[in-house]
Amino acid sequence: MTPSAPGAGTFLYDQDCGFCQRAVVFARVRVRTRTAFTAWQEADLATVGLTPERARAQAWVVYPDGRRFAGGDAVAEVLVHGRAIARPVGRLMRLPLLRAVNRAAYRWVAAHRYRLPGGAASCAVDRR
């Protein structure tokens, strides 16, 4: 995996999803996060305790010390390690009530990502 800045972790995303690719570009350019980004398909998942099925199901942030955050919690971690304006948003997303909303919003976006901008052409997800 790509090494991240100290304490910032690595975000694992789906390289086959256009929406996911656009979200990574947004995080790099607009959020300016210190988090590294690696497609889960190119990562050594076993070293971070994940399976392809778990990585396919949702995005992850993994830290060298073994901590892992999935879905909306992973998005909050990316923001916490972003520029000054993004950090408070990430911290708010960690609060219990807002964490529940964040997780629900992430699940909705993940389920509909092929319909969102950038997702239709290349997103290889189960379209139930």
Side-chain angles (χ1 to χ4, degrees):
M1 278 190 291
T2 307
S4 60
T10 300
F11 186 87
L12 301 176
Y13 68 96
D14 184 355
Q15 74 180 0
D16 296 328
C17 172
F19 177 79
C20 302
Q21 292 172 8
R22 288 181 62 145
V24 166
V25 169
F26 181 85
R28 284 180 174 150
V29 174
R30 300 287 185 183
V31 177
R32 293 189 219 145
T33 186
R34 294 180 301 134
T35 305
F37 295 89
T38 299
W40 70 261
Q41 294 91 334
E42 297 175 1
D44 183 358
L45 295 176
T47 64
V48 294
L50 293 174
T51 63
E53 294 76 26
R54 291 183 78 194
R56 186 179 300 112
Q58 56 191 340
W60 291 82
V61 167
V62 296
Y63 290 95
D65 65 7
R67 291 177 298 142
R68 296 182 310 214
F69 295 87
D73 296 339
V75 173
E77 291 297 307
V78 169
L79 294 173
V80 165
H81 295 287
R83 64 187 187 158
I85 198 165
R87 288 191 297 267
V89 175
R91 284 189 208 102
L92 286 171
M93 291 168 67
R94 290 172 161 176
L95 296 175
L97 180 60
L98 293 178
R99 181 176 23 207
V101 172
N102 174 31
R103 288 173 177 174
Y106 179 90
R107 284 190 302 272
W108 186 90
V109 169
H112 297 91
R113 62 187 172 156
Y114 65 93
R115 296 181 188 176
L116 299 172
S122 63
C123 196
V125 296
D126 181 12
R127 299 179 185 177
R128 289 177 253 180

